[in-house]
């Protein structure tokens, strides 16, 4: 629910966006968020503030337009919300959303055991967000759709389970942690394997917890008692078991193949991690881990003497 002034702002900026005229109310750096601004500001305040911070990074600070309320939640954590107070005339998200989620989780409303007598089941797993950073608008959209599906099946009387969790993101997380260390002029080789793994786990704990809090803020009906991480022992054992079975069937095997070798990570990476660049002529490029520029696009022809020629030269 948006007041008249803010509705006019959104309408005006939408109209000026098509003509290329800069809006009086919103800076150009935030134009990408105009269409979702009104709804996103109220429903996902934490997520919106993160996006606004990224959009205005390095730019002149702008005043954030958002309904603010001096509401203070007096309901103890995990208890049913106290509704004895006066109902406000306008919709205020902080006042409406406070206390409910903690009570839902405490009562295990989202666990399949809550409807254990049901004959049908509906189980899905969250596409685990990478711990390389925080959630964005795409996560909010996906989880809103999945939450609607889960709640619908729950209302139909089925025993539902929506499993939450996060993904370690492997090399992607390693690259992010290495960039963080580079700012301190430290490499993973300076730390050693054991200390570097500790740094990665520290990153996971920081951003993994941040993601969990964001998911809870969205109000998704996850069963948090079954929260998992892709490097948990039970999941790692399942991966090893699957790998061994596929290898025994000949579906996974060792062979000579062209691979994408990362000179910075010093390991092979998948095609999805590679940016392809067309080089029309001899070009020098700067690569991670190298102080000098490396020459590409050059074909070198050379002749190597045969063993017979070597004997004759002697």
């Amino acid at each position: 629910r948006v007041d008249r002034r803010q509705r006019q702002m959104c309408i005006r900026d939408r109209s000026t966006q098509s003509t290329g005229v800069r809006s009086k109310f919103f800076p150009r750096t935030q134009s990408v968020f105009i269409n979702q601004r009104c709804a996103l500001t109220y429903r996902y305040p934490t997520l919106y503030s993160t996006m606004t911070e990224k959009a205005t990074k390095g730019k002149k600070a702008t005043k954030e337009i958002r309904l603010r309320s001096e509401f203070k939640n007096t309901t103890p954590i995990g208890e049913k919300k106290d509704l004895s107070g006066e109902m406000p005339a306008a919709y205020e998200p902080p006042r409406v959303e406070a206390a409910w989620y903690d009570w839902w989780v405490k009562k295990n409303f989202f666990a399949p055991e809550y409807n254990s007598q049901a004959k049908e089941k509906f189980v899905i797993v969250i596409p685990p967000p990478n711990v390389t950073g925080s959630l964005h608008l795409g996560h909010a959209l996906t989880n809103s759709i999945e939450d609607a599906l889960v709640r619908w099946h729950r209302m139909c009387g089925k025993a539902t389970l929506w499993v939450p969790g996060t993904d370690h993101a492997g090399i992607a997380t390693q690259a992010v942690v290495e960039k963080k260390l580079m700012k301190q002029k430290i490499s993973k080789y300076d730390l050693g394997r054991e200390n570097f793994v500790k740094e990665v786990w520290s990153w996971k704990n920081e951003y993994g917890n941040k993601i969990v809090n964001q998911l809870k803020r969205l109000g998704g009906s996850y069963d948090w008692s079954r929260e998992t991480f892709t490097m948990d022992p039970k999941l790692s054992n399942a991966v090893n078991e699957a790998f061994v079975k596929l290898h025994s069937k000949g579906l996974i095997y060792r062979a000579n193949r062209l691979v994408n070798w990362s000179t910075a990570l010093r390991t092979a990476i998948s095609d999805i991690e590679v940016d392809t660049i067309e080089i029309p002529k001899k070009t020098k490029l700067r690569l991670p881990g190298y102080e000098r520029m490396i020459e590409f696009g050059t074909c070198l022809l050379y002749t190597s003497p045969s063993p017979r020629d070597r004997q004759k030269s002697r």
Side-chain angles (χ1 to χ4, degrees):
R1 185 172 172 183
V2 185
D3 62 28
R4 182 177 300 175
R5 180 170 177 269
Q6 286 179 312
R7 195 180 297 114
Q8 290 173 350
M9 288 180 180
C10 289
I11 293 173
R12 173 165 183 172
D13 203 88
R14 250 190 229 112
S15 63
T16 56
Q17 188 179 9
S18 60
T19 60
V21 180
R22 187 171 182 180
S23 170
K24 174 182 177 183
F25 299 101
F26 299 113
R28 187 173 298 152
T29 54
Q30 295 181 4
S31 61
V32 70
F33 307 125
I34 294 302
N35 295 333
Q36 298 88 1
R37 188 181 190 100
C38 295
L40 186 62
T41 301
Y42 306 118
R43 189 165 184 186
Y44 311 120
T46 304
L47 193 64
Y48 172 75
S49 61
T50 302
M51 294 168 62
T52 305
E53 180 183 348
K54 289 182 179 180
T56 58
K57 185 177 181 181
K59 304 291 182 180
K60 185 178 179 181
T62 57
K63 184 177 180 180
E64 187 176 327
I65 301 174
R66 182 192 298 175
L67 290 176
R68 296 188 181 275
S69 174
E70 296 299 329
F71 170 72
K72 183 177 181 180
N73 180 28
T74 58
T75 305
I77 297 178
E79 298 297 324
K80 190 173 182 179
K81 187 174 181 179
D82 181 12
L83 301 176
S84 60
E86 181 181 356
M87 180 177 291
Y91 173 71
E92 299 179 12
R95 186 184 298 271
V96 173
E97 297 176 3
W100 285 117
Y101 196 81
D102 293 328
W103 181 61
W104 293 342
V105 173
K106 183 178 179 181
K107 291 294 184 180
N108 289 326
F109 289 152
F110 304 146
E113 291 81 6
Y114 186 76
N115 191 14
S116 58
Q117 303 300 324
K119 296 181 180 179
E120 296 184 69
K121 300 178 181 179
F122 182 77
V123 181
I124 62 174
V125 177
I126 182 178
N130 295 340
V131 293
T132 49
S134 55
L135 301 186
H136 50 68
L137 187 59
H139 292 104
L141 174 62
T142 301
N143 284 273
S144 296
I145 296 173
E146 292 183 350
D147 194 26
L149 290 172
V150 173
R151 289 177 183 271
W152 167 252
H153 286 283
R154 187 180 292 116
M155 292 168 64
C156 291
K158 299 179 183 179
T160 59
L161 172 60
W162 190 12
V163 182
T166 51
D167 184 12
H168 66 282
I171 293 176
T173 302
Q174 176 182 331
V176 172
V177 175
E178 285 195 49
K179 287 182 180 179
K180 175 187 173 184
L181 293 174
M182 284 181 184
K183 294 180 180 178
Q184 306 172 12
K185 296 184 178 180
I186 302 174
S187 71
K188 64 180 180 181
Y189 304 105
D190 296 331
L191 291 178
R193 180 182 178 85
E194 185 176 347
N195 291 329
F196 181 72
V197 171
K198 289 181 180 179
E199 286 289 332
V200 174
W201 275 105
S202 176
W203 177 275
K204 179 267 172 186
N205 293 332
E206 178 182 353
Y207 282 90
N209 294 336
K210 184 177 182 180
I211 289 173
V212 168
N213 292 332
Q214 286 181 306
L215 291 175
K216 290 181 177 179
R217 186 68 183 83
L218 290 175
S221 55
Y222 314 93
D223 183 3
W224 289 107
S225 64
R226 291 176 166 85
E227 179 189 354
T228 56
F229 177 56
T230 49
M231 286 189 69
D232 287 343
K234 60 180 180 180
L235 295 185
S236 296
N237 293 336
V239 171
N240 292 337
E241 178 70 18
F243 188 92
V244 171
K245 286 184 177 180
L246 292 173
H247 184 268
S248 62
K249 293 179 181 180
L251 299 176
I252 294 180
Y253 53 90
R254 185 189 297 273
N256 294 324
R257 293 289 187 274
L258 287 175
V259 298
N260 303 310
W261 181 261
S262 171
T263 57
L265 299 173
R266 299 188 183 182
T267 184
I269 56 179
S270 66
D271 292 342
I272 198 173
E273 303 286 348
V274 176
D275 293 329
T276 303
I277 302 177
E278 295 291 339
I279 301 177
K281 58 182 181 180
K282 184 171 67 173
T283 308
K284 287 188 176 183
L285 300 175
R286 190 172 299 280
L287 299 180
Y290 287 84
E291 295 183 358
R292 62 183 181 86
M293 299 184 73
I294 306 300
E295 185 177 286
F296 290 87
T298 303
C299 183
L300 300 177
L301 299 178
Y302 64 93
T303 302
S304 177
S306 65
R308 181 179 300 178
D309 293 335
R310 290 174 184 171
Q311 291 178 357
K312 289 181 180 180
S313 61
R314 292 176 183 176

